[in-house]
Amino acid sequence: MSSTNEVEDAVAQLWQEHAGAPFPAGLAGAERAGIDLVLLDADIAGCVSSRQNSGGFLDAGRRRILDARTAELERILPLLGAADGAPYWQRLYRLARLVADAGE
């Protein structure tokens, strides 16, 4: 089992990587399985950003959003290929899961 510090370090690193990465080219306005990819990214990033800016706290509303959007991302990950910037989405998923699991 990972220590709290290891989890926080991993979240901080993934968040820094994600925040510095460009959104995958050509996906603005794209949907997969009816899910708008820009909104999916923005919702998860917003929840992570709020958590990071509040010292690790995620309020109930953002927690519900994070859980719902993480489930959607998990559902569409198998549909995302190299042209969709799959590593971008895989990193976002790892980040979302770490944040969600840290709050349990």
Side-chain angles (χ1 to χ4, degrees), residues 1 6 8-9 18 22 31 33-34 38 47 50 54 58 61 63-64 73 82 85-86 88 90 99-100 103:
M1 184 169 216
E6 289 172 337
E8 292 306 319
D9 289 348
H18 188 75
E31 292 185 359
V38 170
C47 291
S50 292
S54 68
L58 194 61
R63 176 60 195 233
R64 283 191 298 276
L73 180 52
Y88 180 92
Q90 291 161 352
V99 168

Side-chain angles (χ1 to χ4, degrees), residues 5-89:
N5 287 341
E6 289 172 337
V7 171
E8 292 306 319
D9 289 348
V11 168
Q13 172 147 358
L14 284 171
W15 177 237
Q16 183 178 15
E17 289 173 18
H18 188 75
F23 188 79
L27 293 185
E31 292 185 359
R32 297 295 181 272
I35 298 166
D36 183 301
L37 297 179
V38 170
L39 292 177
L40 177 66
D41 179 56
D43 285 348
I44 292 173
C47 291
V48 173
S49 177
S50 292
R51 179 192 182 273
Q52 292 302 95
N53 291 330
S54 68
F57 176 75
L58 194 61
D59 65 60
R62 285 186 181 90
R63 176 60 195 233
R64 283 191 298 276
I65 292 167
L66 180 64
D67 288 345
R69 298 304 258 166
T70 302
E72 289 176 341
L73 180 52
E74 185 173 322
R75 194 171 79 233
I76 66 167
L77 274 176
L79 307 175
L80 300 171
D84 296 318
Y88 180 92
W89 301 103

